[in-house]
Amino acid sequence: MMEQDRLVIGGHTFTSRFILGSGKYSMKLIEAAVRDAGAQIITLAVRRANTKEQESILDYIPEGVTLLPNTSGARNAEEAVRIARLARELGCGDFVKIEIMRDTKYLLPDNQETVRATEILAKEGFVVMPYMYPDLNTARDLVNAGAAAVMPLASPIGSNKGLATREFIQILIDEIDLPIIVDAGIGRPSQACEAMEMGAAAIMANTALATAGDLPLMAAAFRQAIEAGRKAYLSGLGRVLTRGASASDPLTGFLRN
Amino acid sequence: MENQFYVDSKYLSPEALARKHRLETDPSSRADHMAYLPGMEVISSDVCEKVMSQMEAYDYTKYTARDVRAALDHETCSIEDFKALLSPAAEPFLERMAERARRETSRHFGNTVYLFTPLYIANYCENYCVYCGFNCYNHISRMKLDMEQIEHEMAVIAGSGMEEILILTGESRAQSDVQYIGEACKLARKYFRMVGLEIYPVNTDEYRYLHECGADYVTVFQETYDQAKYETLHLLGHKRVWPYRFDAQERALLGGMRGVAFSALLGLSDFRKDALASALHVYYLQRKYPYAEMSLSCPRLRPIINNDKINPLDVGERQLCQILCAYRIFLPYVGITVSSRESARFRNGIVKIAATKISAGVSTGIGDHETKYTGKEDGAQKGDEQFEIDDARSLETMYQDMSGEGLQPVLNDYVYV
């Protein structure tokens, strides 16, 4: 069954369900993410790509890896749209992760502006992956606006606090027919595993790896955790255990006919 | 009055000297430092009152080791916790504070360190700030670069690989007006990804104009939040008006700037109170303008031309480190810049704990980048430095050194939209 298990985003197919975020970066991190965590999608902050730096991050993206430029730095839909277009001009492809923050302290996404930007960019042919606060109504609006996936946050970005929004992410997984990619706040492989057991389509992480003592080892741990969680989900176990376990003696066993 | 600052230049006329002495010795000869001058915009804001009431009530002697331990144990650092961390009681906890600060820095910024360089385009000044090398009574070589010279300087700096620039002037509206600075910003946009300004405070509409010219970050140092002390250090000129300076960052944000930077000049007054006020200035403005980017600097006094006695007094490296760790723990999301006033040794250490941004390839003089970068003497006129720097590393050396410390140097993290 696992062999046919593919992540499909906007018509593009991936075998890996780990996506590297862009918050902290180093060339070592990218290397470990691809080699040890198996990442096939790597986020790239356009504000950093737009550089003439000696060590341009673009030079370090290996062949075959899909770039996911993000709009970090945008404070409203218009700025996000401009950054997305700039990414396309820079040759980053059609994928774009929308990040719109009007708060520099917690970096929480602005859902309203995110829906607006999604609508504009989807019409322009982008594969739009919006980062959002897990709210069902917003998620539905994002679907209608043409998003290719929905990326709810697990807890504040960089916090490594895990699935603080667990119940709300579960609602999105249950109700939304797009891949739900859990983004931000995943601090440990066990949390990534839990999100995958719940039915998340993929995990995006950065800080958890970037701040690990042994980067390649942590990257490998994430890969295994994500795979384990995915298998548990596909096997049906995750849902049974966490939501609606059945009693060994059926409650309705007394019924006749 | 004991003072490390007053120096008489033999080039001053007897009248100028007499006026200087009168300003220094007779407080009644000075203008009211709390009164706005004509043309200075007054905005309605409660930030100042909030900051000052906290600072005035701050008695750092009442905090104990117990308060410090509690502060370090709290997941979120409250204002009270921050006050404890700034107090003398926290000095024995410096290593623990550094560990906590390092975790916060790593969580919010990873292992990155941003590099930038300042470009002084003019050193004319109409103020008499007794500790500053540019002060109007100090006999130095004055200069203002024309656009051609500015472009040349920018080309030399950009040629070194630098992508972020901070444009500075002395505080003279007559010599370096807003239009002149705006034109410099337009030039800078051609060569750099990020353009910051550290100039005299201006009104909201002027900040808006400068933003439209390409600047997106405004740095204003309050020097000291102690109004009475401020009055004794800034004896003449528009800079003497304390409240207009205090509101500069807020006007810059109202004018559309993306970010603002703050600082006290440590060593001028009670450094613990100044550090508290600097951080609270950031804290309260962030609550009011949550989308704005904020950063803190931590300059200490340095010797200037014609006065090598100026020093940061009681702010030693341990105290500076304590302040920076406390800043980081209280405001984990803000940038912290450590200037070339500090030594290479200190800067190498502090970027691993709390600082996120450092300058490289620095000159605080005017029009001398080519000489300083290439050693080539072009015979052109130069303007003297604002203060003596300590860490003179070039961008290339800094890049290598930071990589060698296990950090990822970043030259640009910014897109102008």
Side-chain angles (χ1 to χ4, degrees), chain A residues 11 15 55 129 196:
Chain A
T15 52
E55 288 194 17
M129 300 171 64
M196 293 305 292

Side-chain angles (χ1 to χ4, degrees), chain A residues 88-133:
Chain A
R88 199 180 240 172
E89 282 167 29
L90 287 169
C92 295
D94 286 337
F95 277 81
V96 66
K97 180 187 171 200
I98 299 182
E99 282 187 18
I100 301 176
M101 282 98 155
R102 283 192 301 161
D103 178 281
T104 55
K105 187 172 181 179
Y106 300 101
L107 300 176
L108 292 176
D110 182 320
N111 280 357
Q112 254 181 315
E113 292 293 307
T114 301
V115 172
R116 288 213 300 127
T118 300
E119 195 164 1
I120 298 168
L121 291 170
K123 279 191 188 137
E124 293 183 12
F126 282 94
V127 177
V128 184
M129 300 171 64
Y131 170 57
M132 52 95 73
Y133 192 86

